[in-house]
């Protein structure tokens, strides 16, 4: 019976880990945050730089990651562990325009994705995918912080 309870607990831990991490690639990255974003990120624990399979588009004020069929396109970002997961995700959903007061179709939708950490390990985390047809400029680098335009103040 001991082994079955151990298996059960590891499964629960895995589920918690999925729930409590977020992959951010745009205005919530630590070098891109402004006054609006900083309070959202209070208490977040930085776990490392990472990439996700996808295409990144620049829409001016913010970027959007789009699911891609391409195998080599990567979106660069950061993984954080969230303090109070439910509460934080609710705030983030509102920020991304897919909260309870928002009306579909949503511009961004939250999904769990596999993330490759810079050390080569894999974790799962929440990501906000951009859902409409992207009409912005594709960032070949996959890195929002490497845009050529000046960053907003």
């Amino acid at each position: 019976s001991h082994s079955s309870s151990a298996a059960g607990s590891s499964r629960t831990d895995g589920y918690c880990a999925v729930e409590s991490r977020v992959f951010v690639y745009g205005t919530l990255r630590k070098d891109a945050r402004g006054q609006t974003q900083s309070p959202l990120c209070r208490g977040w624990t930085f776990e490392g730089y990472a990439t996700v399979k996808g295409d990144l588009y620049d829409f001016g004020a913010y970027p959007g990651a789009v699911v891609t069929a391409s195998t080599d396109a990567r979106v660069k970002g950061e993984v954080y562990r969230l303090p109070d997961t439910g509460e934080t995700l609710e705030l983030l959903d509102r920020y991304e325009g897919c909260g309870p007061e928002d009306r579909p179709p949503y511009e961004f939708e939250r999904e769990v994705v596999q993330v490759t950490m810079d050390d080569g390990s894999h974790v799962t985390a929440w990501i906000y995918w951009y859902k409409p047809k992207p009409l912005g400029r594709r960032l070949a680098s996959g890195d929002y912080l490497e845009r050529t335009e000046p960053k907003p103040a």
Side-chain angles (χ1 to χ4, degrees):
S1 71
H2 177 73
S3 63
S4 68
S5 71
S9 70
S10 71
R11 201 161 51 238
T12 315
D13 292 345
Y15 179 71
C16 293
V18 166
E19 293 295 300
S20 64
R21 282 194 185 99
V22 65
F23 173 84
V24 298
Y25 56 80
T27 54
L28 294 172
R29 288 180 62 178
K30 54 184 196 279
D31 295 328
R33 289 176 200 159
Q35 288 177 320
T36 312
Q37 293 83 19
S38 293
L40 282 173
C41 309
R42 210 168 276 140
W44 289 18
T45 308
F46 177 68
E47 293 206 334
Y49 294 100
T51 61
V52 163
K53 195 179 131 171
D55 279 322
L56 191 65
Y57 287 85
D58 185 9
F59 303 113
Y62 56 87
V66 178
V67 178
T68 178
S70 160
T71 47
D72 54 355
R74 309 290 302 183
V75 174
K76 296 190 177 112
E78 298 155 9
V79 172
Y80 292 90
R81 188 177 287 279
L82 304 175
D84 182 338
T85 311
E87 204 172 292
T88 306
L89 288 173
E90 198 177 311
L91 289 170
L92 286 177
D93 284 354
R94 288 207 173 108
Y95 174 75
E96 300 289 358
C98 55
E101 301 87 29
D102 297 296
R103 191 167 287 190
Y106 305 121
E107 196 174 28
F108 289 92
E109 283 182 28
R110 175 162 51 86
E111 289 169 19
V112 170
V113 70
Q114 189 185 61
V115 179
T116 305
M117 304 299 292
D118 271 6
D119 66 4
S121 63
H122 292 99
V123 299
T124 42
W126 292 111
I127 187 175
Y128 286 88
W129 289 117
Y130 183 78
K131 288 300 184 175
K133 190 174 169 52
L135 299 172
R137 184 173 65 96
R138 184 175 171 271
L139 295 172
S141 68
D143 191 340
Y144 181 61
L145 299 180
E146 286 183 12
R147 300 177 299 156
T148 46
E149 297 85 12
K151 293 184 188 64

